[in-house]
Amino acid sequence: MAARVEAGAVVTIAYELRDVDGALLDDEGASVAYLHGGYGGLFPKAEAALEGAVVGHEVTLSLEPEDAFGDYDPELLRVEPREA
């Protein structure tokens, strides 16, 4: 029986990040590993969608700003030199 995604499991996901028009925003074949269970390694809505999943599970998920980093706030923008 395949292991399921549950609290305390180290999970590696391959993902595609696209904008609302479907344009790819991240490198093809991107992946991330995180500790499942609300430890802050992944957005809560994404963790919830993966809860109980098994290897090979695929999910399509749309995140609104409030589900991710919040609305754009120009007051929070800071530009750093590339050397930094």
Side-chain angles (χ1 to χ4, degrees):
M1 187 163 138
R4 295 196 171 276
V5 175
E6 58 187 23
V10 175
V11 179
T12 301
I13 59 172
Y15 67 91
E16 291 182 352
L17 182 60
R18 297 181 177 273
D19 66 15
V20 295
D21 297 321
L24 191 63
L25 297 174
D26 212 340
D27 294 333
E28 194 167 333
S31 65
V32 65
Y34 74 97
L35 180 60
H36 191 81
Y39 298 101
L42 205 61
F43 299 123
K45 186 174 179 179
E47 272 204 38
L50 294 169
E51 182 71 32
V54 295
V55 173
H57 178 80
E58 290 188 25
V59 64
T60 299
L61 185 64
S62 294
L63 296 176
E64 295 299 321
E66 59 270 12
D67 299 322
F69 297 112
D71 287 320
Y72 176 75
D73 183 348
E75 295 293 319
L76 297 176
L77 179 64
R78 185 175 74 194
V79 178
E80 295 286 339
R82 185 176 299 270
E83 304 81 48

